[in-house]
Amino acid sequence: MPDIHPTAIVADTVTIGEGTTVLPYTIIEGNTVIGRNCTIGPHAAIGGPPQHRNSPIDDGWVVIGDDCVLREQTTVNRATKPGRDNATAVGDRCYLMTSVHLGHDTKLGADITLANQVMIAGHAAIGDGTFFGGGTGIHQYSRVGRLCMIHGNEGLSLDVPPFALVQHTCVRGPNVIGLRRNGFSSETRQAIARAYQTLRRVPVMSKALAQLECVDVPEVREIVEFYRASKRGVTTARRKRV
């Protein structure tokens, strides 16, 4: 059974998994599903209506996975479309620190860490294992690939490619620490580093991607496919001054 503090308000439409703790003064409403062994709150607001000028629907969903931590004053807004498949979603083992905001229809993968006051706008999608420094804001509909490291106080309006280290709105290179911690081999890390060097040095993006398509490394192909699929444009690699 979940452990729900007497001061918390939980609607009868909410499902909470075994072993989850809901801390004081938290509000959970709407069609919200929270997995097992999570910690929610205090003063969190989960499943509230979208912050949208149009009249929000009542049957949007929020789905939160297992082993997640949503710290004090975190807000997660429900989706603007009906059905669980369209839910604002948080994957397993995510850690959301103080005052994080997840806008409507956002999708978080697994093992994501969002430091204090990170703001994820509506319809954004964040890949597995990514870390956001405090105070970072992400534009609506943006995508962030997996295992990225985003420095604090960034304001990003473009997509961020997989395995990237981002500072001052530029890709500085690969997220070496994250790759090492997640067991990537030295050869793979070097291939990813060379890929970002190519993206930095070749002045025409289409030519850079054409070169990288010849590299037989799955992670490099993942970077190329991410660029190819982008609709907003991709955060650029920092170029050296001549």
Side-chain angles (χ1 to χ4, degrees), residues 113-119 131-137 149-154:
T113 301
L114 306 181
N116 295 3
Q117 298 179 335
V118 167
M119 300 165 288
F131 179 92
F132 282 72
T136 292
M149 168 75 77
I150 314 294
H151 278 241
N153 296 315
E154 295 288 339

Side-chain angles (χ1 to χ4, degrees), residues 25 69 125 137 157 207:
Y25 303 106
V69 175
S157 59
K207 293 183 178 179

Side-chain angles (χ1 to χ4, degrees), residues 1 61 191:
M1 293 290 292
W61 284 67

Side-chain angles (χ1 to χ4, degrees), residues 8-58:
I9 299 174
V10 179
D12 58 7
T13 53
V14 172
T15 300
I16 300 177
E18 182 178 354
T20 288
T21 300
V22 179
L23 294 172
Y25 303 106
T26 287
I27 299 174
I28 308 176
E29 57 185 306
N31 298 316
T32 296
V33 177
I34 299 174
R36 297 182 178 185
N37 303 317
C38 297
T39 300
I40 311 294
H43 293 279
I46 312 300
Q51 296 181 102
H52 200 292
R53 285 184 175 272
N54 294 334
S55 298
I57 65 171
D58 293 327

Side-chain angles (χ1 to χ4, degrees), residues 94-196:
C94 287
Y95 196 109
L96 280 57
M97 300 185 194
T98 301
S99 301
V100 166
H101 171 70
L102 298 186
H104 56 82
D105 305 282
T106 58
K107 308 290 185 185
L108 266 61
D111 301 296
I112 290 169
T113 301
L114 306 181
N116 295 3
Q117 298 179 335
V118 167
M119 300 165 288
I120 308 295
H123 301 277
I126 314 299
D128 295 348
T130 286
F131 179 92
F132 282 72
T136 292
I138 300 294
H139 197 278
Q140 60 262 35
Y141 290 97
S142 293
R143 300 181 303 143
V144 177
R146 66 185 179 109
L147 286 173
C148 291
M149 168 75 77
I150 314 294
H151 278 241
N153 296 315
E154 295 288 339
L156 299 175
S157 59
L158 301 176
D159 295 343
V160 177
F163 320 119
L165 172 66
V166 174
Q167 185 180 31
H168 304 315
T169 68
C170 290
V171 174
R172 309 285 291 201
N175 176 19
V176 176
I177 294 175
L179 293 171
R180 187 181 295 118
R181 287 177 176 174
N182 283 272
F184 285 70
S185 68
S186 175
E187 293 76 13
T188 299
R189 297 198 305 270
Q190 291 173 10
I192 293 170
R194 287 193 296 269
Y196 279 114

